[in-house]
Amino acid sequence: MIPFINVRAQREAYLKEFQQAENEVLDSGCFIGGPVVQALESSLAEFTGVKHAITCGSGTDALTIALLALGLKPGDEVIVPDFTFIAPAECVMRLGGIPKFADIDAETLQVSAESIESLIGEKTRGIIAVNLFGQCAPYAEIRKCALANGLWLIEDSAQAFGAMQNSIPACTFGDISITSFYPAKPLGCYGDGGALFTANDELAQRIRLISNHGSQTRYIHEICGMNSRLDAIQAAILRVKFRHFKDELKKRNENARKYNEFFRAIPGIVPQKIAEGNTSTYAQYTVLAEDRATFLKQLESAGVPYCIHYPMPLHTQPCFKELAQVCESLSASQDCASNATVACQKVVSLPMCAFTDVDEIIARLKKVM
Ligand SMILES: Cc1ncc(COP(=O)(O)O)c(C=O)c1O
């Protein structure tokens, strides 16, 4: 059985390091925050070159904290991609904001700066750009658009910690950038975890305050915050994986290169385009299949697992339809022929991690395609 993501092989490869790091935390009696979390935050800041890296409970929490730190108010509009995981739009809604759904580029599948620009209105306060499947969104255009319109920018790099754009690392493009350490992510822990990045001292202070019950001094609560902190055991696991991260990124890219070479000879199946100047973490290796039903049958007969990231444009999700106010805001961007809608009908993600045996997968596919 080929796993979609082989977390077990990774565990076995670094087992001694994991066990030592895990035992150290369990024996220390310090389970939330503390020196291991601080050491991880320093490594994250050093890796990205961002002044402040602040860990928290999950990528979704990181988005919520970022929106709170930037002062989102009920009724504020925030532009999010129509084609991505639910979290950016969900977090805006949870805080009483209104997500406006921007279309994507048909080939890179990244949110389109042109579409963002077309959605800006009087109530628009900010943009959440997503680095989809491991590649950065087009930040030159998006940042220009944010700046020209006085909007803040959140970079959702849940899938792309470790990616580069024109030699600049991901997690450096937003007023606040975030990532996720969900187990399936390129740098994942053994539960939920996330981090925020900012160069701004004031925002960093607010982020720390919000994520720790609005408190800097024990039992003094300056604002109503939340409990969103990274467990020390997760930080210890991440520190082990971080030692091997660059190596794993190379292996992911090598696996993507093998897939690309194979699909080059297959008409009707086109991998997500990596735009010039970008490197990808390949959080997902995703192709667009003209005849998806046939391709899925071929994968099934070859015993190759797959996922559909994502089956429907976010603006059509039931959770957004129920809210009349949001439906109203959708009408401008709703378009049955949008690139997001077409992508949802064609996308297929294939097994991808540093331990995926892509040679075996290709050998199996050659027999059925
Ligand atoms: C683009 C994007 N943003 C945010 C998240 C949320 O991260 P988490 O699962 O850590 O809450 C995810 C998770 O898959 C994601 O893909």
Side-chain angles (χ1 to χ4, degrees):
M1 186 60 194
I2 294 171
F4 189 71
I5 295 170
N6 202 344
V7 282
R8 281 207 187 143
Q10 189 195 41
R11 173 94 186 151
E12 277 166 27
Y14 319 139
L15 186 60
K16 284 213 171 95
E17 291 176 70
F18 280 133
Q19 286 173 338
Q20 188 185 341
E22 290 157 5
N23 285 335
E24 275 171 17
V25 171
L26 295 178
D27 293 343
S28 76
C30 179
F31 304 127
I32 294 174
V36 184
V37 173
Q38 277 165 19
L40 176 70
E41 290 183 346
S42 299
S43 307
L44 295 171
E46 193 188 338
F47 185 88
T48 52
V50 180
K51 189 169 179 193
H52 304 281
I54 302 155
T55 52
C56 67
S58 70
T60 307
D61 277 3
L63 285 169
T64 302
I65 294 164
L67 289 165
L68 289 168
L70 290 162
L72 185 81
K73 302 269 180 314
D76 287 351
E77 291 180 357
V78 179
I79 300 170
V80 299
D82 200 14
F83 180 70
T84 183
F85 185 60
I86 186 103
E90 176 187 44
C91 294
V92 171
M93 282 283 287
R94 291 284 299 149
L95 296 175
I98 300 172
K100 301 268 280 188
F101 297 90
D103 202 8
I104 53 164
D105 177 85
E107 293 179 303
T108 64
L109 310 179
Q110 302 297 333
V111 65
S112 145
E114 209 180 5
S115 180
I116 290 175
E117 186 97 49
S118 74
L119 294 172
I120 296 172
E122 266 180 25
K123 290 186 190 162
T124 312
R125 296 290 170 267
I127 301 163
I128 304 180
V130 172
N131 299 341
L132 197 73
F133 301 151
Q135 168 183 203
C136 287
Y139 284 109
E141 293 100 316
I142 293 172
R143 280 164 63 117
K144 207 156 111 188
C145 169
L147 203 67
N149 293 282
L151 306 177
W152 45 251
L153 173 64
I154 296 175
E155 174 195 3
D156 179 343
S157 198
Q159 305 181 4
F161 178 81
M164 303 285 268
Q165 183 166 81
N166 299 320
S167 307
I168 301 168
C171 297
T172 64
F173 296 106
D175 295 293
I176 299 176
S177 303
I178 71 102
T179 197
S180 161
F181 301 127
Y182 180 79
K185 297 290 187 253
L187 183 64
C189 55
Y190 288 164
D192 277 314
L196 300 101
F197 302 82
T198 185
N200 182 309
D201 295 341
E202 226 171 280
L203 283 175
Q205 201 187 357
R206 274 191 75 72
I207 288 166
R208 286 202 187 276
L209 206 58
I210 293 163
S211 58
N212 190 30
H213 296 291
S215 171
Q216 289 186 87
T217 309
R218 209 160 202 203
Y219 303 125
I220 306 294
H221 305 275
E222 296 163 41
I223 56 168
C224 288
M226 54 199 274
N227 170 6
S228 183
R229 303 168 299 211
L230 189 70
D231 292 340
I233 192 108
Q234 302 301 351
I237 286 154
L238 285 165
R239 272 167 57 73
V240 171
K241 292 201 192 184
F242 209 9
R243 282 181 216 142
H244 304 277
F245 186 54
K246 281 192 178 161
D247 215 37
E248 289 205 1
L249 285 182
K250 272 192 207 140
K251 287 184 183 148
R252 283 174 172 273
N253 274 269
E254 177 57 14
N255 280 342
R257 191 195 59 73
K258 288 180 184 173
Y259 272 135
N260 287 345
E261 204 174 291
F262 172 66
F263 286 118
R264 203 167 295 137
I266 310 277
I269 297 186
V270 180
Q272 177 199 20
K273 181 179 167 184
I274 305 301
E276 214 184 312
N278 284 269
T279 65
S280 178
T281 63
Y282 287 103
Q284 304 299 343
Y285 180 85
T286 304
V287 298
L288 297 161
E290 244 0 281
D291 179 358
R292 185 164 70 182
T294 301
F295 184 45
L296 296 187
K297 278 195 193 120
Q298 289 167 331
L299 290 169
E300 280 158 23
S301 72
V304 175
Y306 61 82
C307 283
I308 305 297
H309 300 114
Y310 298 92
M312 58 208 286
L314 286 178
H315 77 260
T316 65
Q317 287 285 356
C319 61
F320 298 124
K321 274 197 168 163
E322 279 164 23
L323 286 147
Q325 196 185 19
V326 175
C327 288
E328 225 174 84
S329 86
L330 286 174
S331 54
S333 59
Q334 216 160 14
D335 175 3
C336 293
S338 73
N339 292 332
T341 306
V342 174
C344 289
Q345 291 155 4
K346 292 186 180 176
V347 280
V348 182
S349 300
L350 298 176
M352 168 57 86
C353 75
F355 296 86
T356 303
D357 187 349
V358 174
D359 294 327
E360 164 69 16
I361 291 170
I362 289 172
R364 288 189 189 198
L365 290 180
K366 276 183 178 162
K367 288 185 194 154
V368 296
M369 295 186 82

